[in-house]
Amino acid sequence: MKRWSSCAMLWVVLGGAGALSNTAIAAESASAAGRAEASMLVTGSVTLAPDGTVRSYSIYRREALPKPVAELIDKNAPAWRFERVRVQGQAVAAVANMSLRVLATPIGNDQYALRIRGAHFGKQDQGKGIRRLGFTRPIYPQSVLQARVGGTVYLLIKLDDQGRVAEVAAEQTDLDAAGPDRSMDRWRSALERSSIAAARSWKFTVPAPSAGRPREMHLVRVPVRYALRRPGLGSQPRYGQWDIYIPGPRQIVPWLNDPTMLSDSADALPDDGVFPIGSGLHLTSPLSGA
């Protein structure tokens, strides 16, 4: 079994195009490295003009990021275009929290190029509408714990009009270790079962329906992180460090009538929070070039 730690990685900038060399990935076996991704979660905010163009943006703790990552965002963010935000039919300016998943892709000769793989643009007040109240922590499955494997389960949850969990499914599960396919399937399944079992007991606050409108269901994403604390490394990468993981397949959610609602990337979300589907800004232009 192969395991990676972002703290053990050595990234060397090669030129100005953002190509990277990583001795940690190169040292891994070809099969494991072929399944692994190196990525970084970058957060900040974006301000839109009424016409949906980017008026300004900010990157949280820019000084903590590798220079090529900040340069990639600087290159692409000004060109983003969004659906216009309307209030009572009038296009208005808007501000949103920004969460970007930056991916390092191998381009040969132990070099890696950067691109923005996924993004989430959530309205800054979205947490006031739907919040988690009761929280039963998932149990770390013993078989996964003994294997010293961690990961993140991205749950999709349907809430009724009282904030109770009506449906829940695992949309994607990423692992921080590689092994035989059968082992990885077992680890993912165990993490998903534990997350789903805990989520069924959660309770949320939901917005009251507007007068004259029928009661409605609400869809939210909730990431669940399973992390081991390793000596000298902590339980997860610090902000601005690379994270190497094995991305899980996107799964079909049988009770979701409209899969196009999940057009954005689940793993672009921070590891903690409740993220309503359809409540943020909607990007209409490409996220990035290389």
Side-chain angles (χ1 to χ4, degrees), residues 11-21 40 42 59 62-76 100 102-104 112-116 240 242 288-290:
W11 290 93
V12 180
V13 178
L14 302 179
L20 303 174
S21 174
M40 180 181 298
V42 180
I59 300 173
R62 174 186 286 264
E63 73 282 357
L65 302 179
K67 185 178 179 181
V69 172
E71 290 176 343
L72 177 72
I73 298 170
D74 290 338
K75 174 184 175 182
N76 289 281
L100 306 173
V102 178
L103 183 69
Y112 291 76
L114 300 181
R115 67 183 177 91
I116 304 173
W242 294 97
S288 93

Side-chain angles (χ1 to χ4, degrees), residues 79-101:
W80 291 339
R81 298 293 182 268
F82 294 81
E83 288 184 8
R84 298 183 183 187
V85 176
R86 298 184 182 276
V87 176
Q88 297 181 345
Q90 182 71 31
V92 297
V95 180
N97 294 321
M98 174 178 72
S99 179
L100 306 173
R101 178 67 66 178

Side-chain angles (χ1 to χ4, degrees), residues 128-192:
K128 298 179 182 178
I130 300 179
R131 292 181 293 110
R132 186 168 52 195
L133 295 176
F135 178 58
T136 301
R137 290 190 176 276
I139 298 172
Y140 213 128
Q142 192 65 26
S143 61
V144 185
L145 188 61
Q146 289 176 344
R148 305 294 294 170
V149 172
T152 302
V153 180
Y154 296 93
L155 294 178
L156 185 67
I157 302 175
K158 181 192 290 186
L159 306 175
D160 67 16
D161 60 358
Q162 300 298 310
R164 295 170 299 206
V165 174
E167 300 279 4
V168 58
E171 185 182 353
Q172 181 174 328
T173 301
D174 299 338
L175 300 175
D176 70 358
D181 288 341
R182 287 186 178 181
S183 296
M184 296 177 68
D185 288 343
R186 287 197 300 269
W187 298 333
R188 287 193 179 101
S189 295
L191 294 176
E192 290 167 2

